[in-house]
Amino acid sequence: MRMRRKKHREERLLECSDILIDNILDYKNDLRSIFPSDAPLHLEIGCGKGKFITETAMNNPEINFVAFEKNLDVLVLAAEKVKNAGLTNVKFVPGDASVLSEFDTKTKCDVIYINFCDPWPKSGYAKRRLTHANFLKLWEKLVKDGGGIHFKTDNRSLFEFSLNSFSDYGMRLKNITLDLHASKFEGNVMTEYEMLFSEKGNPIYRCEAYYTGMKKKSGLQKGINNNECIV
């Protein structure tokens, strides 16, 4: 269901202008220069209403966070959460993360969070999935050696597609779980969608995929062997 336009949205965004990045391309050569400190940098692609990024930033003040969100009606809610919490280690980018294709960063981020992205269920739309090889190539350009993606979804088909996509790209898989809330994984921060789905009894799927520089291994099993799995 489409969210209604928020009242006084533009004025509210203006109140949060100090944590909004108008032109992210100003930082295309050095993402970390967004912040005055040279702390580790994490990105979130599609932050929604901001519960995840706000709580994660509160729990990790030694890390800087940049969150992308193209829907201004939810972005304003996320920005207000961060502003009200008094956090100085979070910035927001209003717009589509596809702009990152124009980046050639020398100083890279450590982690990219992809939480409950559009599953694009029709097979003809596979290339639009954020875990498709085309996007993995883009994310790789932004992540430092040994860094990777933390991925969560409630969609079993998308999760299976993503595991195979990560594996085929030669990524190292870790902390794979088919039921996150029933697993032994610690430190999970829920998103708004995650709360909604879990309240309905839906299992949450999660994994971490790290770049190794070894692309195009064949078969999911090669990606899972000798990795830490939680089921």
Side-chain angles (χ1 to χ4, degrees):
M1 190 169 97
R2 187 173 181 178
M3 177 174 285
R4 292 182 180 179
R5 182 185 175 92
K6 295 299 180 186
K7 285 187 177 181
H8 310 295
R9 185 186 72 187
E10 304 309 323
E11 294 90 337
R12 291 162 66 184
L13 285 170
L14 187 60
E15 289 290 324
C16 299
S17 59
D18 58 322
I19 57 173
L20 300 178
I21 302 172
D22 289 330
N23 189 4
I24 189 64
L25 289 177
D26 289 343
Y27 305 95
K28 68 178 182 179
N29 293 321
D30 187 353
L31 271 172
R32 292 194 189 187
S33 65
I34 291 171
F35 297 91
S37 66
D38 190 27
L41 179 67
H42 292 192
L43 303 184
E44 184 180 15
I45 309 300
C47 67
K49 297 179 183 178
K51 181 181 182 297
F52 175 85
I53 201 71
T54 301
E55 293 185 21
T56 302
M58 290 176 67
N59 295 340
N60 300 276
E62 75 286 357
I63 297 173
N64 290 327
F65 298 86
V66 173
F68 286 77
E69 179 53 59
K70 61 184 178 181
N71 186 329
L72 297 183
D73 290 308
V74 293
L75 174 63
V76 68
L77 300 177
E80 287 175 341
K81 281 187 178 72
V82 165
K83 188 82 171 176
N84 292 336
L87 298 174
T88 59
N89 61 332
V90 182
K91 300 285 186 180
F92 293 94
V93 180
D96 198 298
S98 61
V99 70
L100 291 169
S101 63
E102 300 184 43
F103 273 57
D104 185 20
T105 55
K106 296 178 181 178
T107 308
K108 302 185 178 184
C109 69
D110 298 71
V111 174
I112 294 177
Y113 301 104
I114 302 176
N115 295 320
F116 302 93
C117 60
D118 192 329
W120 294 103
K122 294 183 180 180
S123 58
Y125 289 156
K127 289 184 178 180
R128 299 188 184 186
R129 298 168 190 159
L130 296 184
T131 54
H132 184 274
N134 291 348
F135 280 103
L136 297 184
K137 184 177 181 180
L138 169 58
W139 310 141
E140 183 178 26
K141 183 172 68 171
L142 303 170
V143 175
K144 72 175 188 178
D145 292 344
I149 297 166
H150 292 190
F151 177 66
K152 288 197 288 188
T153 183
D154 71 313
N155 188 293
R156 177 68 179 251
S157 295
L158 175 62
F159 191 65
E160 292 174 352
F161 169 89
S162 301
L163 288 179
N164 280 290
S165 185
F166 295 145
S167 180
D168 287 344
Y169 203 82
M171 301 178 77
R172 179 174 61 89
L173 297 173
K174 183 179 179 182
N175 290 332
I176 304 167
T177 173
L178 303 181
D179 191 346
L180 174 59
H181 297 167
S183 75
K184 298 178 182 178
F185 183 80
E186 297 180 357
N188 180 56
V189 175
M190 289 202 287
T191 73
E192 288 87 357
Y193 275 122
E194 186 173 352
M195 291 180 66
L196 177 63
F197 296 144
S198 61
E199 286 173 1
K200 293 181 178 180
N202 297 352
I204 305 300
Y205 308 100
R206 184 188 184 278
C207 72
E208 299 167 16
Y210 295 94
Y211 289 99
T212 64
M214 299 174 61
K215 297 181 181 178
K216 300 301 179 185
K217 291 182 180 179
S218 60
L220 174 59
Q221 193 59 40
K222 287 187 179 180
I224 293 180
N225 280 344
N226 300 318
N227 286 284
E228 179 184 348
C229 302
I230 302 174
V231 180

